[in-house]
Amino acid sequence: GAVVSQHPSRVICKSGTSVKIECRSLDFQATTMFWYRQFPKQSLMLMATSNEGSKATYEQGVEKDKFLINHASLTLSTLTVTSAHPEDSSFYICSAGIRTGGIDGYTFGSGTRLTVV
Amino acid sequence: GESVGLHLPTLSVQEGDNSIINCAYSNSASDYFIWYKQESGKGPQFIIDIRSNMDKRQGQRVTVLLNKTVKHLSLQIAATQPGDSAVYFCAERSGGSYIPTFGRGTSLIVHP
């Protein structure tokens, strides 16, 4: 089945630094990638949707200059948290839309636990 | 606004029992529904899906029921095992969008 590899699984960084999270589709082309943020014991909050080769569409309230999304190829999408602060600490998850005509399903990465100290 | 929600935030069952996790949705245009299982510290894992032209779909030990009249979705897990302990999310999507909306989640705890 379709697999999305997400790295790193855990990262601890100092306040003010930037962190890049990568999601790669291993055996399919991820035309559309969704990026989510999840707080403990809460649901997934959509941050942005990216389509290969075009700018990401950010959800209301998500700072696009802080959460930089790049989807330059059909197999790689990245989320960079710039100038991270402790309040950015969270679980970040990517999800690729599986296309057979329209989008028929979604496969998720394993998530990245970001801790900003 | 339109949303997907869950009735029970936590469900505790004994090993071997059947589990039923419920989900209500409000968007009458929703036509595709998915159940996901998320274990602690991991990404959601697809369990089963159903389209609005069906009212029941079965997988291995799991059954999804869709009642469009009352906008209700349920996930039934037969012979629940400790390995089924996780948070379960329902997600819905309307035909006019390719973006899924996730419900709040239900934590299933299976006692041996």
Side-chain angles (χ1 to χ4, degrees):
Chain A
V3 175
V4 172
S5 176
Q6 182 171 349
H7 293 280
S9 58
R10 290 177 180 272
V11 57
I12 300 173
C13 71
K14 292 184 177 180
S15 187
T17 61
S18 295
V19 173
K20 179 183 284 188
I21 301 169
E22 292 189 350
C23 279
R24 293 180 183 274
S25 56
L26 299 185
D27 49 4
F28 69 102
Q29 294 181 334
T31 310
T32 302
M33 193 74 80
F34 305 93
W35 286 93
Y36 295 88
R37 181 173 183 176
Q38 187 178 34
F39 292 103
K41 300 188 184 303
Q42 293 191 24
S43 188
L44 283 72
M45 182 188 78
L46 181 65
M47 299 174 66
T49 303
S50 71
N51 291 296
E52 183 269 335
S54 60
K55 291 184 178 180
T57 300
Y58 289 81
E59 295 298 299
Q60 191 172 10
V62 179
E63 298 177 61
K64 60 181 179 181
D65 294 332
K66 181 165 188 64
F67 299 100
L68 300 178
I69 292 173
N70 184 287
H71 194 166
S73 79
L74 287 170
T75 59
L76 175 64
S77 179
T78 63
L79 167 66
T80 301
V81 183
T82 63
S83 186
H85 291 283
E87 58 266 31
D88 299 323
S89 298
S90 192
F91 193 57
Y92 292 88
I93 313 170
C94 62
S95 173
I98 308 301
R99 286 190 178 274
T100 53
I103 293 185
D104 287 339
Y106 309 87
T107 187
F108 286 83
S110 54
T112 297
R113 172 73 59 194
L114 171 62
T115 303
V116 185
V117 297
Chain B
E2 310 248 64
S3 65
V4 177
L6 289 168
H7 297 299
L8 299 174
T10 303
L11 176 64
S12 294
V13 300
Q14 290 296 127
E15 181 178 2
D17 287 352
N18 296 332
S19 302
I20 300 176
I21 300 171
N22 296 302
C23 183
Y25 65 97
S26 57
N27 186 352
S28 56
S30 296
D31 62 358
Y32 180 52
F33 305 87
I34 317 166
W35 280 102
Y36 290 97
K37 172 186 180 183
Q38 187 180 26
E39 298 176 333
S40 181
K42 297 182 180 180
Q45 178 184 11
F46 172 89
I47 301 173
I48 192 168
D49 60 0
I50 189 169
R51 297 192 183 276
S52 58
N53 60 352
M54 303 173 68
D55 53 21
K56 180 180 180 179
R57 192 166 186 219
Q58 289 184 294
Q60 186 177 14
R61 283 202 305 120
V62 295
T63 300
V64 55
L65 298 178
L66 175 62
N67 185 329
K68 294 181 288 294
T69 302
V70 295
K71 298 188 184 69
H72 184 267
L73 187 72
S74 69
L75 176 70
Q76 300 179 2
I77 305 174
T80 314
Q81 303 168 0
D84 295 327
S85 293
V87 176
Y88 290 80
F89 292 97
C90 66
E92 60 87 18
R93 190 190 72 190
S94 64
S97 171
Y98 57 89
I99 301 175
T101 300
F102 284 83
R104 188 158 59 106
T106 291
S107 176
L108 176 65
I109 301 172
V110 182
H111 301 282

XYZ file of all heavy atoms in Angstrom, chain A residues 19-81:
506
model
N 13.410 24.262 12.314
C 13.362 22.808 12.214
C 12.636 22.410 10.932
O 11.562 22.960 10.636
C 12.622 22.197 13.425
C 12.418 20.703 13.246
C 13.361 22.481 14.709
N 13.218 21.468 10.206
C 12.593 20.999 8.983
C 12.089 19.571 9.172
O 12.816 18.702 9.652
C 13.575 21.031 7.817
C 12.965 20.520 6.498
C 13.970 20.479 5.370
C 14.247 21.846 4.811
N 15.085 21.792 3.590
N 10.862 19.363 8.774
C 10.240 18.037 8.821
C 9.988 17.590 7.394
O 9.445 18.347 6.593
C 8.913 18.078 9.612
C 9.154 18.571 11.046
C 8.252 16.711 9.630
C 7.881 18.889 11.809
N 10.376 16.352 7.085
C 10.225 15.847 5.727
C 9.205 14.718 5.648
O 9.139 13.869 6.538
C 11.567 15.313 5.210
C 12.621 16.350 4.983
C 13.839 15.773 4.272
O 13.913 14.537 4.141
O 14.697 16.562 3.852
N 8.456 14.737 4.586
C 7.558 13.616 4.302
C 7.782 13.164 2.868
O 7.690 13.967 1.939
C 6.094 14.023 4.506
S 5.597 13.987 6.238
N 8.071 11.888 2.734
C 8.321 11.318 1.421
C 7.305 10.217 1.121
O 7.044 9.355 1.969
C 9.719 10.704 1.359
C 10.842 11.700 1.449
C 12.208 11.031 1.372
N 13.287 12.002 1.535
C 13.816 12.719 0.555
N 13.349 12.554 -0.681
N 14.782 13.580 0.790
N 6.762 10.254 -0.074
C 5.904 9.151 -0.504
C 6.815 8.121 -1.154
O 7.594 8.436 -2.053
C 4.848 9.655 -1.489
O 5.444 10.301 -2.599
N 6.741 6.895 -0.668
C 7.724 5.883 -1.061
C 7.352 5.129 -2.327
O 8.218 4.683 -3.061
C 7.935 4.902 0.093
C 8.476 5.513 1.384
C 8.763 4.431 2.407
C 9.708 6.364 1.127
N 6.108 4.916 -2.578
C 5.745 4.078 -3.703
C 4.600 4.663 -4.513
O 3.903 3.930 -5.215
C 5.373 2.674 -3.212
C 4.390 2.708 -2.067
O 3.939 3.813 -1.689
O 4.057 1.632 -1.550
N 4.421 5.952 -4.406
C 3.371 6.604 -5.188
C 3.717 8.088 -5.278
O 4.604 8.589 -4.597
C 1.999 6.404 -4.547
C 1.819 7.136 -3.238
C 1.109 8.323 -3.170
C 2.376 6.631 -2.065
C 0.960 8.997 -1.978
C 2.229 7.301 -0.855
C 1.522 8.482 -0.816
N 2.996 8.757 -6.115
C 3.205 10.182 -6.278
C 2.171 10.951 -5.465
O 0.965 10.800 -5.677
C 3.097 10.566 -7.763
C 4.216 9.977 -8.605
C 4.113 10.373 -10.068
O 3.044 10.659 -10.574
N 5.251 10.406 -10.740
N 2.679 11.743 -4.537
C 1.803 12.511 -3.646
C 1.546 13.886 -4.253
O 2.284 14.822 -4.011
C 2.432 12.624 -2.261
N 0.510 13.966 -5.034
C 0.181 15.241 -5.657
C -0.238 16.273 -4.622
O 0.078 17.453 -4.746
C -0.966 15.051 -6.663
O -0.659 13.959 -7.522
C -1.179 16.298 -7.489
N -0.959 15.802 -3.630
C -1.457 16.688 -2.585
C -0.986 16.187 -1.232
O -1.098 15.008 -0.930
C -2.999 16.724 -2.596
O -3.451 17.153 -3.879
C -3.523 17.688 -1.532
N -0.473 17.106 -0.429
C -0.016 16.767 0.921
C -0.708 17.700 1.910
O -0.810 18.903 1.670
C 1.499 16.924 1.040
C 2.090 16.308 2.302
S 2.149 14.510 2.265
C 3.613 14.240 1.256
N -1.168 17.099 2.974
C -1.800 17.867 4.043
C -0.870 17.859 5.261
O -0.268 16.844 5.581
C -3.141 17.238 4.454
C -4.098 17.059 3.310
C -4.144 15.871 2.604
C -4.964 18.073 2.946
C -5.027 15.691 1.550
C -5.858 17.902 1.891
C -5.882 16.715 1.194
N -0.778 18.976 5.923
C 0.016 19.074 7.141
C -0.903 19.392 8.309
O -1.703 20.320 8.256
C 1.094 20.146 7.006
C 2.224 19.712 6.121
C 2.371 19.926 4.788
C 3.362 18.949 6.531
N 3.523 19.346 4.340
C 4.157 18.751 5.386
C 3.797 18.423 7.754
C 5.362 18.041 5.420
C 4.980 17.722 7.790
C 5.757 17.540 6.634
N -0.754 18.585 9.361
C -1.590 18.719 10.544
C -0.730 18.971 11.771
O 0.435 18.577 11.850
C -2.402 17.442 10.794
C -3.425 17.114 9.740
C -3.080 16.353 8.634
C -4.740 17.547 9.865
C -4.020 16.033 7.669
C -5.689 17.222 8.906
C -5.320 16.474 7.817
O -6.261 16.162 6.862
N -1.374 19.572 12.742
C -0.776 19.740 14.058
C -1.739 19.119 15.063
O -2.967 19.240 14.917
C -0.598 21.230 14.350
C 0.043 21.555 15.685
C 0.317 23.048 15.797
N 0.988 23.354 17.043
C 1.422 24.565 17.377
N 1.235 25.586 16.554
N 2.019 24.761 18.533
N -1.183 18.451 16.051
C -2.029 17.774 17.021
C -1.514 18.029 18.419
O -0.353 17.730 18.737
C -2.070 16.267 16.740
C -3.060 15.503 17.603
C -3.106 14.032 17.250
O -2.099 13.440 16.877
N -4.288 13.438 17.370
N -2.373 18.567 19.257
C -2.053 18.760 20.670
C -2.486 17.513 21.435
O -3.347 16.757 20.966
C -2.740 20.009 21.204
C -2.195 21.282 20.612
C -2.896 21.959 19.630
C -0.970 21.776 21.018
C -2.392 23.124 19.073
C -0.458 22.933 20.470
C -1.166 23.604 19.482
N -1.916 17.293 22.614
C -2.242 16.087 23.387
C -3.744 15.923 23.608
O -4.439 16.868 23.956
C -1.497 16.306 24.699
C -0.356 17.189 24.332
C -0.889 18.111 23.275
N -4.217 14.720 23.379
C -5.604 14.340 23.602
C -6.588 15.178 22.775
O -7.738 15.366 23.163
C -5.962 14.426 25.078
C -5.103 13.521 25.953
C -5.595 13.474 27.376
C -4.668 12.656 28.257
N -4.479 11.279 27.764
N -6.102 15.676 21.655
C -6.977 16.440 20.778
C -6.933 15.875 19.359
O -6.116 15.015 19.045
C -6.584 17.914 20.768
C -6.824 18.607 22.091
C -6.680 20.113 21.997
O -6.826 20.705 20.919
N -6.407 20.748 23.125
N -7.824 16.373 18.543
C -7.904 15.903 17.175
C -6.834 16.561 16.305
O -6.047 17.378 16.769
C -9.303 16.189 16.617
O -9.467 15.572 15.358
N -6.829 16.186 15.061
C -5.870 16.744 14.114
C -6.383 18.099 13.630
O -7.538 18.235 13.243
C -5.704 15.812 12.911
C -4.858 14.567 13.093
C -5.555 13.540 13.959
C -4.497 13.962 11.752
N -5.485 19.069 13.647
C -5.836 20.391 13.178
C -5.108 20.645 11.868
O -3.880 20.646 11.835
C -5.445 21.450 14.204
C -5.827 22.869 13.787
S -5.155 24.115 14.906
C -3.461 24.167 14.354
N -5.855 20.830 10.794
C -5.245 21.070 9.500
C -4.544 22.419 9.500
O -5.140 23.440 9.844
C -6.303 21.019 8.397
C -5.809 21.235 6.978
C -4.871 20.090 6.550
C -6.979 21.338 5.998
N -3.280 22.398 9.107
C -2.513 23.631 9.024
C -2.518 24.175 7.599
O -2.715 25.372 7.372
C -1.075 23.400 9.450
C -0.908 22.914 10.875
S 0.782 22.507 11.243
C 1.559 24.116 11.133
N -2.261 23.286 6.655
C -2.135 23.729 5.279
C -2.265 22.543 4.336
O -2.079 21.395 4.722
C -0.796 24.424 5.059
N -2.584 22.883 3.105
C -2.673 21.897 2.030
C -1.725 22.326 0.926
O -1.732 23.500 0.528
C -4.100 21.843 1.465
O -5.012 21.539 2.515
C -4.207 20.794 0.364
N -0.907 21.410 0.465
C 0.016 21.779 -0.599
C -0.164 20.851 -1.789
O -0.378 19.656 -1.644
C 1.460 21.716 -0.099
O 1.883 20.391 0.110
N -0.079 21.436 -2.950
C -0.092 20.684 -4.194
C 1.260 20.842 -4.863
O 1.850 21.936 -4.851
C -1.203 21.186 -5.114
C -2.583 20.835 -4.575
O -2.940 19.672 -4.464
N -3.341 21.846 -4.216
N 1.756 19.774 -5.407
C 3.073 19.771 -6.016
C 3.215 20.898 -7.016
O 2.353 21.080 -7.879
C 3.347 18.419 -6.666
C 4.728 18.280 -7.266
C 4.773 18.683 -8.728
O 3.737 18.623 -9.392
O 5.863 19.052 -9.199
N 4.288 21.675 -6.846
C 4.593 22.725 -7.793
C 3.872 24.037 -7.570
O 4.091 24.987 -8.333
N 3.031 24.115 -6.557
C 2.338 25.371 -6.304
C 2.435 25.736 -4.822
O 2.845 24.929 -3.999
C 0.872 25.285 -6.737
O 0.204 24.278 -6.035
N 2.053 26.961 -4.524
C 2.131 27.434 -3.145
C 1.084 26.741 -2.287
O -0.015 26.416 -2.749
C 1.908 28.944 -3.091
C 3.039 29.754 -3.699
C 2.791 31.243 -3.534
C 3.933 32.053 -4.100
N 3.709 33.520 -3.943
N 1.441 26.558 -1.033
C 0.511 25.914 -0.111
C -0.642 26.832 0.250
O -0.503 28.061 0.252
C 1.263 25.500 1.161
N -1.761 26.227 0.545
C -2.924 26.966 1.030
C -3.018 26.766 2.526
O -3.165 25.632 3.001
C -4.213 26.445 0.362
O -4.106 26.603 -1.049
C -5.415 27.234 0.868
N -2.925 27.853 3.265
C -2.901 27.777 4.710
C -4.291 28.001 5.292
O -5.085 28.789 4.777
C -1.936 28.829 5.279
C -0.483 28.518 5.012
C 0.104 28.817 3.785
C 0.306 27.917 5.995
C 1.427 28.519 3.532
C 1.634 27.621 5.755
C 2.187 27.931 4.519
O 3.504 27.633 4.269
N -4.553 27.303 6.389
C -5.807 27.485 7.095
C -5.761 28.804 7.876
O -4.679 29.324 8.201
C -6.068 26.322 8.043
C -6.262 25.000 7.324
C -7.468 25.001 6.397
O -8.607 25.193 6.888
O -7.261 24.802 5.182
N -6.925 29.305 8.144
C -7.029 30.563 8.874
C -6.337 30.447 10.226
O -6.534 29.482 10.957
C -8.498 30.921 9.072
C -8.727 32.331 9.594
C -10.200 32.699 9.598
O -11.062 31.849 9.381
N -10.502 33.951 9.835
N -5.525 31.441 10.529
C -4.835 31.464 11.814
C -3.459 30.829 11.786
O -2.731 30.916 12.772
N -3.087 30.202 10.694
C -1.765 29.585 10.586
C -0.832 30.555 9.869
O -1.131 31.000 8.757
C -1.840 28.248 9.817
C -0.442 27.648 9.690
C -2.772 27.286 10.532
N 0.278 30.872 10.522
C 1.212 31.845 9.956
C 2.064 31.197 8.870
O 2.902 30.338 9.152
C 2.126 32.372 11.057
C 1.402 33.101 12.183
C 2.384 33.510 13.259
O 3.302 34.285 12.947
O 2.247 33.026 14.413
N 1.884 31.633 7.652
C 2.614 31.008 6.550
C 4.095 31.340 6.574
O 4.905 30.576 6.048
C 2.008 31.408 5.207
C 2.021 32.896 4.916
C 1.370 33.165 3.578
C 1.349 34.638 3.254
N 0.679 34.909 1.939
N 4.455 32.464 7.179
C 5.874 32.808 7.265
C 6.579 32.038 8.371
O 7.804 31.968 8.393
C 6.041 34.307 7.502
C 5.569 35.121 6.318
O 5.624 34.600 5.183
O 5.125 36.262 6.521
N 5.813 31.484 9.273
C 6.391 30.705 10.356
C 6.447 29.230 9.986
O 7.397 28.534 10.345
C 5.568 30.879 11.623
C 6.127 30.104 12.797
C 5.530 30.568 14.085
C 6.263 29.902 15.236
N 7.676 30.294 15.296
N 5.447 28.766 9.315
C 5.371 27.364 8.920
C 5.502 27.305 7.398
O 4.518 27.386 6.671
C 4.053 26.743 9.382
C 3.871 26.756 10.876
C 3.082 27.723 11.490
C 4.492 25.802 11.671
C 2.904 27.735 12.865
C 4.328 25.808 13.049
C 3.536 26.778 13.651
N 6.747 27.139 6.964
C 7.034 27.145 5.538
C 6.851 25.750 4.956
O 7.459 24.798 5.435
C 8.461 27.634 5.287
C 8.801 29.043 5.770
C 10.265 29.358 5.486
C 7.899 30.073 5.131
N 6.055 25.659 3.938
C 5.799 24.371 3.307
C 6.308 24.404 1.887
O 6.024 25.326 1.136
C 4.301 24.032 3.341
C 3.862 23.769 4.782
C 3.985 22.828 2.455
C 2.383 23.601 4.965
N 7.073 23.372 1.565
C 7.601 23.225 0.224
C 7.186 21.874 -0.330
O 7.325 20.851 0.336
C 9.138 23.334 0.255
C 9.734 23.286 -1.131
O 9.770 22.238 -1.771
N 10.187 24.426 -1.611
N 6.675 21.876 -1.532
C 6.227 20.629 -2.165
C 6.735 20.656 -3.597
O 5.964 20.699 -4.547
C 4.698 20.558 -2.102
C 4.146 19.206 -2.399
N 2.835 18.873 -2.114
C 4.685 18.103 -2.939
C 2.612 17.631 -2.485
N 3.716 17.145 -2.981
N 8.057 20.616 -3.710
C 8.694 20.829 -5.006
C 8.666 19.595 -5.903
O 8.867 19.694 -7.097
C 10.130 21.290 -4.802
N 8.430 18.429 -5.309
C 8.392 17.226 -6.131
C 7.195 16.372 -5.734
O 6.574 16.599 -4.700
C 9.679 16.412 -5.977
O 9.655 15.664 -4.782
N 6.907 15.396 -6.559
C 5.754 14.534 -6.307
C 5.997 13.529 -5.191
O 5.087 12.813 -4.790
C 5.363 13.802 -7.590
C 4.687 14.665 -8.652
C 4.574 13.911 -9.966
C 3.313 15.126 -8.185
N 7.220 13.473 -4.702
C 7.515 12.505 -3.645
C 8.024 13.136 -2.366
O 8.329 12.429 -1.408
C 8.545 11.470 -4.128
O 9.740 12.153 -4.511
C 8.012 10.665 -5.299
N 8.133 14.453 -2.323
C 8.688 15.088 -1.134
C 7.970 16.387 -0.801
O 7.796 17.258 -1.644
C 10.178 15.376 -1.325
C 10.870 16.152 -0.200
C 10.863 15.338 1.092
C 12.295 16.516 -0.602
N 7.552 16.482 0.427
C 7.000 17.732 0.947
C 7.670 18.002 2.278
O 7.912 17.072 3.059
C 5.485 17.626 1.131
O 4.953 18.841 1.664
N 7.985 19.255 2.531
C 8.645 19.614 3.787
C 7.898 20.728 4.498
O 7.284 21.587 3.866
C 10.102 20.060 3.556
O 10.103 21.242 2.742
C 10.906 18.966 2.885
N 7.970 20.657 5.815
C 7.425 21.708 6.681
C 8.579 22.226 7.519
O 9.236 21.451 8.217
C 6.332 21.155 7.595
C 5.879 22.047 8.758
C 5.184 23.295 8.238
C 4.948 21.288 9.700
N 8.846 23.508 7.417
C 9.895 24.123 8.223
C 9.263 25.061 9.232
O 8.540 25.983 8.853
C 10.894 24.901 7.349
O 11.488 24.012 6.398
C 11.999 25.513 8.204
N 9.534 24.782 10.497
C 9.079 25.661 11.564
C 10.196 26.658 11.807
O 11.285 26.284 12.269
C 8.757 24.869 12.846
C 8.221 25.803 13.928
C 7.760 23.757 12.552
